[in-house]
Amino acid sequence: MLVFSRQAVGAFLAVCLCISGVGLLQYPRLQKLIAIKKNVSLETLEKEINQEKTRLNLLKKTPSFGYDNLIANWVYLNFLQYFGDDEARAKIGYSLSPEYFEVILKRDPRFLQAYLALSNSTSMYAAMPERSIRLMEEGLKSLSPKVPQRAYYVWRYKGIDELLFLGNSQASEQSFTEAASWASKYIDEESKKIAYLSYKTAKFLHKNPNSKYAQISTWTMVLNNQVDEKNRQRAIREIEALGGEVIKNDDGTIRIKLPEKD
């Protein structure tokens, strides 16, 4: 028992050293990214991003010694810092978003919160829905209806991206069908509602693969995902472009008025 304990401690120290080693290299650079000012040249930003990408590639190969979740959580925090640097992102974009999630979801494919951030950052901001969907497909191989709890949301995020960004109604229909199937394994009200809505969406897509109503409904799902203000405004614009109307109720909630014709 004592030998096992020493091995466990040794492994833990090893992975911490690996993370710390990469972190010591990464942290100063990351802080520079956060502190970027408007007068920093595009060339300097590109250099910083290339260095960050190199470090993320190193993390993909770093041994975990059984502490994959620790690495995934740490990289996710780094992603939040990267994503939140609005000045730098406005200049050079969000191209590193999927690189962060390759590390995160490889280490912890059951990290449910990461899938929503993946969809928002990679499909909507980085304009790489194919990459986002591939990462979800890979992650889903390690999920089951109840592992993690409410894993059905991953199928919904995938279905949303397939319909809105790829226009692939057939793939989206299949994803919403899976979401309905997985959600039906639960007995709580939230899951029952998701199962019903997912089933209805899949059925509607089957009958009307090119439906504006289906696209409006899916953009409404984006609004209901509590996205940031930029994505919220985009969803509203997309709904209006499809002929829908976003109406704000007195209590702060919204309702969608569909166009007269689909």
Side-chain angles (χ1 to χ4, degrees), residues 38-219:
K38 293 181 179 179
N39 61 345
V40 174
S41 70
L42 185 61
E43 182 181 0
T44 299
L45 287 175
E46 289 175 345
K47 182 179 178 181
E48 295 285 355
I49 289 299
N50 287 334
Q51 290 174 338
E52 181 75 352
K53 185 174 182 178
T54 298
R55 282 182 286 274
L56 287 171
N57 286 333
L58 178 60
L59 277 170
K60 294 175 186 178
K61 303 172 184 178
T62 301
S64 67
F65 300 102
Y67 292 94
D68 284 310
N69 289 0
L70 179 65
I71 296 175
N73 290 337
W74 180 70
V75 175
Y76 185 69
L77 291 176
N78 288 344
F79 160 75
L80 293 177
Q81 291 179 309
Y82 163 85
F83 189 75
D85 188 354
D86 292 335
E87 289 185 0
R89 300 289 70 74
K91 278 190 170 185
I92 203 168
Y94 296 82
S95 63
L96 278 190
S97 292
E99 305 300 329
Y100 282 103
F101 287 100
E102 277 204 12
V103 178
I104 295 165
L105 294 177
K106 180 181 179 182
R107 299 290 184 175
D108 186 7
R110 297 174 179 177
F111 191 168
L112 186 59
Q113 184 180 357
Y115 288 94
L116 176 57
L118 164 65
S119 177
N120 285 339
S121 67
T122 303
S123 294
M124 298 192 76
Y125 281 91
M128 300 181 192
E130 295 91 347
R131 188 93 177 268
S132 177
I133 290 166
R134 283 199 302 271
L135 287 170
M136 286 190 231
E137 287 173 342
E138 188 62 30
L140 280 164
K141 295 176 183 178
S142 299
L143 308 186
S144 63
K146 292 193 175 183
V147 181
Q149 287 290 306
R150 294 184 169 81
Y152 51 77
Y153 275 113
V154 180
W155 283 111
R156 283 176 63 83
Y157 302 149
K158 180 170 172 285
I160 288 172
D161 284 3
E162 287 164 338
L163 181 61
L164 297 186
F165 303 111
L166 298 187
N168 191 339
S169 59
Q170 184 176 5
S172 182
E173 176 196 339
Q174 293 172 349
S175 293
F176 279 108
T177 298
E178 290 293 339
S181 174
W182 285 28
S184 68
K185 309 295 182 184
Y186 296 80
I187 59 173
D188 62 281
E189 291 304 315
E190 176 185 349
S191 299
K192 287 180 180 179
K193 180 180 179 181
I194 293 299
Y196 173 77
L197 292 175
S198 298
Y199 170 75
K200 295 289 287 185
T201 301
K203 186 177 180 180
F204 193 84
L205 284 171
H206 183 74
K207 293 182 177 179
N208 307 277
N210 300 314
S211 169
K212 289 183 180 180
Y213 290 173
Q215 294 180 62
I216 290 173
S217 176
T218 309
W219 278 113

Side-chain angles (χ1 to χ4, degrees), residues 210-236:
N210 300 314
S211 169
K212 289 183 180 180
Y213 290 173
Q215 294 180 62
I216 290 173
S217 176
T218 309
W219 278 113
T220 303
M221 293 179 199
V222 173
L223 283 176
N224 290 334
N225 279 340
Q226 297 181 337
V227 293
D228 59 30
E229 186 59 25
K230 187 182 292 186
N231 276 334
R232 175 183 171 83
Q233 291 303 318
R234 178 178 178 180
I236 291 173

